[in-house]
């Protein structure tokens, strides 16, 4: 699957001990395998009835299109939706029942009908690498690990309904990330999915728990109100391949190759790459894009004029001093000095500082002390607009950095 590359907040917290920290977690002694009737509701979460044990009642399952034996812990579902909404800039709001219903349709094709709860053996047999049609939700292929890691993609893959996914990825570094995680709740533990509500004393896990862990790792199943980035990534069913191609072509035909403010290079770049995250209206996005392009073109024109002026002055100085050996070139403009011996050094430093600024912003390194693979997982799956912009113009980043660091070092 082409991972959608929008920013992971640095407010991750670790659930130290769910048994003591989460007072509303259901007791493991609960033995009922089916949801209670809506008449048993005593609360409402996410707009749906919840029973005295904290599970959604039958009305929720009916709307989501999932069987009654899939009991969903309401507070955990709320935590997951909040985490997705806060950390995926492809959505403004997420529809929990539609998202869970989509996940179930694929989930039910991956595993046989199981009576009761999932045992560890059942989870070991659960396919890890698979492909499905995002439109019809039909399972189309089950991969081996070797087949999965050798999948190749092209720009056309953006418009393909066939998505390649992982069921329960590990948090290991490197290619081992694609291996199955024996702890299916590990990747979602920081948001408290309510795993104790799903685990049983014999080590088995309820059907609802396995399904929720599957959804927690399946961003592609989500549906809701999207940003322009979400539309481009295919999360809006009313914004099809034709519309996505047209918008990407619009961006290609109106490239932004230069920053609008030379004093804030990194911020300019991030604004361009993440513009789609801040708009839900395509026309509004286009207008802002063209406005930024006009500013970019004007800044580039001014830069080129300045360079041409400097080049002329530099040429005259060389002619006047052709017989002299010197380490620096003196100009007549306001007693400024061009330090030739430092130009390459200054150019490299400028590039390094720019890339550091970009990476700091993208990965939140300035303020995060919890840099781990969960953050990278979210970065890969949520930085949609950045990936799309680079795909639209693969040379974008290189050209932008080059254009912003070409300036000679002119100092008083």
């Amino acid at each position: 699957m082409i991972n959608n590359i929008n920013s992971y907040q640095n407010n991750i917290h670790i659930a130290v001990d769910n048994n003591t920290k989460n007072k509303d977690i259901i007791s493991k002694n609960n033995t009922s395998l089916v949801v209670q009737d809506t008449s048993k509701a005593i609360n409402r979460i996410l707009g749906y009835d919840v029973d005295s044990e904290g599970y959604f009642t039958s009305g929720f399952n009916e709307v989501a299109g999932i069987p009654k034996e899939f009991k969903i812990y309401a507070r955990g579902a709320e935590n997951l939706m909040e985490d997705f909404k806060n950390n995926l800039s492809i959505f403004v709001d997420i529809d929990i029942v539609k998202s869970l219903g989509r996940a179930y349709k694929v989930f039910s094709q991956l595993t046989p009908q199981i009576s009761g709860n999932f045992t560890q053996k059942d989870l070991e047999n659960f396919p890890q690498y698979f492909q499905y049609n995002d439109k019809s939700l039909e399972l189309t292929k089950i991969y081996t690990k070797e087949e999965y890691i050798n999948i190749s993609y092209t720009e056309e893959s953006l418009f393909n309904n066939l998505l390649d996914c992982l069921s329960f990825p590990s948090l290991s570094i490197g290619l081992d990330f694609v291996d199955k995680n024996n702890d299916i709740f590990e990747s979602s533990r920081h948001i408290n999915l309510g795993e104790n509500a799903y685990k049983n004393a014999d080590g088995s896990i309820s059907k609802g728990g396995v399904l929720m862990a599957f959804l927690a790792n399946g961003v592609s199943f989500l549906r809701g109100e999207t940003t322009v980035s979400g539309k481009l990534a295919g999360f809006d069913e009313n914004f099809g391949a034709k519309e996505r191609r047209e918008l990407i072509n619009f961006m290609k035909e109106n490239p932004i190759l230069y920053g609008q403010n030379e004093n804030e290079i990194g911020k300019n770049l991030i604004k361009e790459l993440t513009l789609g995250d801040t708009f839900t209206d395509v026309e509004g996005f286009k207008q802002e894009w063209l406005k930024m392009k006009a500013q970019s073109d004007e800044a580039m024109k001014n830069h080129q004029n300045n360079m041409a002026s400097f080049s002329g002055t530099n040429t005259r100085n060389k002619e006047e001093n052709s017989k002299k050996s010197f380490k620096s070139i003196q100009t007549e403009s306001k007693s400024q000095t061009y330090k030739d011996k430092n130009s390459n050094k200054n150019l490299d430093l400028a590039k390094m500082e720019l890339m550091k600024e970009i990476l700091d912003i993208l990965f939140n390194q300035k303020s995060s002390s919890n840099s781990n693979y969960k953050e990278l997982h979210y970065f890969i799956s949520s930085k949609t607009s950045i990936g799309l912009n680079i795909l639209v113009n693969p040379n974008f980043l290189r050209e932008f950095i080059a254009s912003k660091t070409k300036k000679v070092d002119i100092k008083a």
Side-chain angles (χ1 to χ4, degrees), residues 115-146:
S115 176
N117 300 308
F118 274 76
T119 65
Q120 189 59 43
K121 186 67 174 178
D122 294 327
L123 292 175
E124 290 174 1
N125 292 332
F126 198 102
Q128 172 70 351
Y129 317 99
F130 64 94
Q131 180 188 82
Y132 77 99
N133 187 305
D134 191 50
K135 188 172 183 179
S136 67
L137 299 178
E138 177 185 359
L139 182 67
T140 53
K141 188 179 296 185
I142 293 177
Y143 295 107
T144 64
K145 177 180 178 178
E146 183 177 2

Side-chain angles (χ1 to χ4, degrees), residues 146-173:
E146 183 177 2
E147 289 172 334
Y148 182 85
I149 62 178
N150 286 304
I151 297 172
S152 60
Y153 298 103
T154 64
E155 182 174 340
E156 190 59 28
S157 300
L158 275 174
F159 312 105
N160 196 330
N161 288 324
L162 298 178
L163 303 181
D164 302 305
C165 306
L166 299 171
S167 297
F168 307 108
S170 72
L171 299 184
S172 300
I173 295 176

Side-chain angles (χ1 to χ4, degrees), residues 36-234:
Q36 295 196 58
D37 186 78
T38 300
S39 63
K40 303 292 186 180
I42 64 167
N43 193 11
R44 286 179 70 83
I45 294 177
L46 295 175
Y48 295 92
D49 292 332
V50 178
D51 65 22
S52 60
E53 295 179 318
Y55 293 108
F56 285 119
T57 61
S58 59
F60 175 87
N61 289 50
E62 291 172 4
V63 176
I66 60 177
K68 291 185 177 181
E69 60 265 29
F70 283 77
K71 299 177 65 174
I72 306 300
Y73 178 59
R75 193 65 69 186
E78 182 181 48
N79 292 341
L80 181 61
M81 292 302 102
E82 190 66 22
D83 185 68
F84 275 146
K85 189 167 69 172
N86 288 341
N87 300 311
L88 298 180
S89 53
I90 49 181
F91 288 103
V92 176
D93 196 20
I94 299 175
D95 186 332
I96 173 62
V97 293
K98 189 167 187 177
S99 300
L100 189 60
R102 282 170 49 82
Y104 171 74
K105 287 181 180 179
V106 175
F107 176 92
S108 62
Q109 297 172 71
L110 287 168
T111 183
Q113 291 294 327
I114 291 177
S115 176
N117 300 308
F118 274 76
T119 65
Q120 189 59 43
K121 186 67 174 178
D122 294 327
L123 292 175
E124 290 174 1
N125 292 332
F126 198 102
Q128 172 70 351
Y129 317 99
F130 64 94
Q131 180 188 82
Y132 77 99
N133 187 305
D134 191 50
K135 188 172 183 179
S136 67
L137 299 178
E138 177 185 359
L139 182 67
T140 53
K141 188 179 296 185
I142 293 177
Y143 295 107
T144 64
K145 177 180 178 178
E146 183 177 2
E147 289 172 334
Y148 182 85
I149 62 178
N150 286 304
I151 297 172
S152 60
Y153 298 103
T154 64
E155 182 174 340
E156 190 59 28
S157 300
L158 275 174
F159 312 105
N160 196 330
N161 288 324
L162 298 178
L163 303 181
D164 302 305
C165 306
L166 299 171
S167 297
F168 307 108
S170 72
L171 299 184
S172 300
I173 295 176
L175 281 180
D176 289 342
F177 176 78
V178 303
D179 290 344
K180 185 184 292 183
N181 196 331
N182 292 326
D183 181 357
I184 65 172
F185 293 107
E186 183 179 7
S187 65
S188 58
R189 189 161 289 130
H190 67 287
I191 56 105
N192 181 19
L193 200 60
E195 61 181 286
N196 283 357
Y198 300 117
K199 289 182 174 180
N200 301 294
D202 61 1
S204 65
I205 300 175
S206 71
K207 292 181 178 181
V210 180
L211 177 59
M212 284 299 292
F214 183 71
L215 174 62
N217 288 294
V219 174
S220 63
F221 297 121
L222 301 179
R223 286 296 181 269
E225 183 182 356
T226 60
T227 62
V228 169
S229 294
K231 297 179 193 302
L232 279 170

